[in-house]
Amino acid sequence: MLLAQLLDRAGTGVWAAACVLYFTFVIGLDAGQVGLLLGASGVAGIAGSPLAGHLADRFPVRSLLIGAHLLRLGTLCLMLVVTDFALLLLVVAVTHLGDRGAKTLEMLFATRVAGDRRATYQALSRSSANAGYALGAGLAAIGLAVGTRGAYQVLILADALSFLVVAALVWRTKEPRGRGLVVPPAEAAEAAGSAGPADATGPAAAAPAGRGPWRDRGYLRFVLLDIPMHLDDSILGIGIPLWLVGRTEAPHELIPAFLVVNTVLVVLLQLQVSARVETARQAAGAVALYGVATFACCALLAGAGAGGVWGASAALLAAAVLATAAELVRSVSSWELAVRLAPKEARASYLGVAGMAQSVQKSAGPLLLTGVVMAAGPAGWLALGTAVAGLSLVQRRSSLRRLDRLERLERTPPVPAASG
């Protein structure tokens, strides 16, 4: 699965680096059309996670994951021949729908295969994903340097080929028996701190059968609060570079260093961070650390404009380090809480809804940063950091209260059935 993920992200990195230039110079779209195209794909991606989770409760996850990869393979091949904007809009939207669905199914499948070693797998997953993105960006740089129509088409075919290989690797990976995301008894007992088997009626009682994630207000509150806990992605990829260009004296050549810092730190430190976040309560505590790191990052950005060339460069690099620290914590805590706060009988559909947090952030985060935060200047960064830090404390408290409730339900003996 880790090799499959590395190849998947390498292909995605190729496309992410080349898509805007392909649409502009090969297809001939203007900036407005490109923006609409990418915006529509982001909206379509929001539906990918809950749809994947809904289907995963009814069909084998491995088969669905293979289907998602093959869907992306087909739509990318269509991009080689489609030039009509309306059709291209549909193709790109379906591609992104399959992309978000595949990522959710990938984590559902990995959750089953990894079992109680989920935190370790998550750490290795983040490391391989970042290595894959870096590899894909490097391959794309070669094609972009050539700059011909044929070079862009080769990049698209390379991305499509990665999905074909990944589908084959997933097909060769054995799936545990049963369709639901069943939790091992020891894992269910861990939250209560006991070594004995967990009662089958425990966590599920937090969401009675038939309600589902959309009617579970406690879980929806967790997902809603999880959206700002993904803002490190937009801060690092959009906020810091644009702030450098528009509000500081730091050299533009510093921008690639942010990606290098992020990639190196994630590869080196993700396992160590994950080793410290192995339980649901530790994950809830780590959410507060996310808020602290994000606030410190925003505070550095607020003061970067007054530091001159060297001061601004140092502040921006330090902000990139803190954004990466927030990412390291979030990548472990967010998924761990999403798994452990969901009732085990309906975990697939719940995790599909939880996956929407990242999709919504990817669509709304850039607009928030460019349209509100940076428009307000340094005060905007301070307000954002304060808001995220405050919401992280709310998320921590809310998650711990739900965990307490689940523990009480686990300790409650089942009601005996009435005799005839």
Side-chain angles (χ1 to χ4, degrees):
M1 280 298 296
L2 291 174
L3 176 59
Q5 188 176 52
L6 185 144
L7 294 175
D8 182 323
R9 300 306 188 272
T12 302
V14 168
W15 175 243
C19 65
V20 172
L21 296 179
Y22 175 78
F23 292 140
T24 302
F25 296 116
V26 177
I27 303 298
L29 303 182
D30 58 37
Q33 289 175 314
V34 172
L36 178 60
L37 204 63
L38 298 180
S41 68
V43 173
I46 295 175
S49 294
L51 177 61
H54 177 76
L55 293 174
D57 269 338
R58 290 156 177 78
F59 303 99
V61 176
R62 184 175 68 165
S63 300
L64 291 172
L65 182 54
I66 293 172
H69 290 315
L70 295 179
L71 173 65
R72 293 194 288 171
L73 167 67
T75 54
L76 277 174
C77 291
L78 282 176
M79 286 189 200
L80 295 171
V81 296
V82 172
T83 57
D84 179 74
F85 178 72
L87 290 177
L88 194 61
L89 190 67
L90 176 63
V91 171
V92 173
V94 174
T95 301
H96 208 66
L97 178 74
D99 179 71
R100 295 306 310 166
K103 284 179 171 57
T104 298
L105 292 167
E106 180 183 79
M107 291 309 300
L108 293 173
F109 189 56
T111 298
R112 298 189 58 190
V113 174
D116 56 3
R117 301 180 64 188
R118 181 172 59 247
T120 301
Y121 174 84
Q122 179 74 350
L124 294 171
S125 168
R126 290 295 305 169
S127 298
S128 64
N130 276 268
Y133 283 130
L135 175 62
L139 294 174
I142 299 174
L144 297 179
V146 176
T148 63
R149 181 186 184 93
Y152 283 108
Q153 291 175 334
V154 168
L155 292 177
I156 293 178
L157 287 174
D159 188 14
L161 179 62
S162 73
F163 296 143
L164 180 61
V165 175
V166 169
L169 290 174
V170 173
W171 178 73
R172 294 184 61 184
T173 304
K174 292 183 179 180
E175 181 177 6
R177 293 182 179 180
R179 292 179 179 178
L181 290 173
V182 180
V183 185
E187 186 177 317
E190 178 211 333
S194 64
D199 193 313
T201 63
R211 282 183 60 181
W214 295 107
R215 299 179 64 186
D216 188 341
R217 287 187 288 181
Y219 198 82
L220 289 178
R221 184 185 305 112
F222 160 76
V223 176
L224 182 63
L225 289 170
D226 202 39
I227 295 173
M229 302 302 119
H230 285 77
L231 276 170
D232 60 276
D233 180 60
S234 292
I235 291 174
L236 184 66
I238 297 173
I240 297 179
L242 289 181
W243 193 250
L244 180 151
V245 172
R247 294 297 190 101
T248 76
E249 299 178 19
H252 295 184
E253 291 79 8
L254 189 64
I255 291 177
F258 303 143
L259 176 60
V260 174
V261 167
N262 175 262
T263 302
V264 171
L265 290 180
V266 169
V267 171
L268 292 178
L269 300 178
Q270 188 68 77
L271 274 173
Q272 288 87 330
V273 173
S274 299
R276 298 177 179 273
V277 185
E278 295 182 340
T279 68
R281 290 192 172 276
Q282 289 173 337
V287 175
L289 295 178
Y290 180 93
V292 171
T294 303
F295 176 82
C297 172
C298 292
L300 282 172
L301 291 173
V309 175
W310 292 104
S313 298
L316 291 169
L317 284 172
V321 171
L322 287 167
T324 302
E327 176 189 345
L328 289 168
V329 173
R330 180 259 300 167
S331 63
V332 178
S333 62
S334 178
W335 186 257
E336 181 67 18
L337 287 173
V339 172
R340 297 305 301 271
L341 297 180
K344 55 188 177 183
E345 281 86 354
R347 201 164 259 181
S349 58
Y350 271 70
L351 293 181
V353 173
M356 291 179 62
Q358 187 174 11
S359 299
V360 171
Q361 189 283 139
K362 284 184 176 295
S363 297
L367 297 176
L368 172 67
L369 292 182
T370 58
V372 180
V373 174
M374 287 188 280
W381 284 115
L382 292 175
L384 177 66
T386 302
V388 172
L391 290 173
S392 72
L393 296 177
V394 176
Q395 177 75 304
R396 175 182 178 275
R397 181 182 179 186
S398 176
S399 298
L400 289 173
R401 290 178 63 182
R402 185 173 174 94
L403 287 170
D404 288 338
R405 185 163 61 253
L406 295 180
E407 289 179 9
R408 289 195 299 269
L409 289 170
E410 286 177 359
R411 291 193 294 265
T412 301
V415 179
S419 61

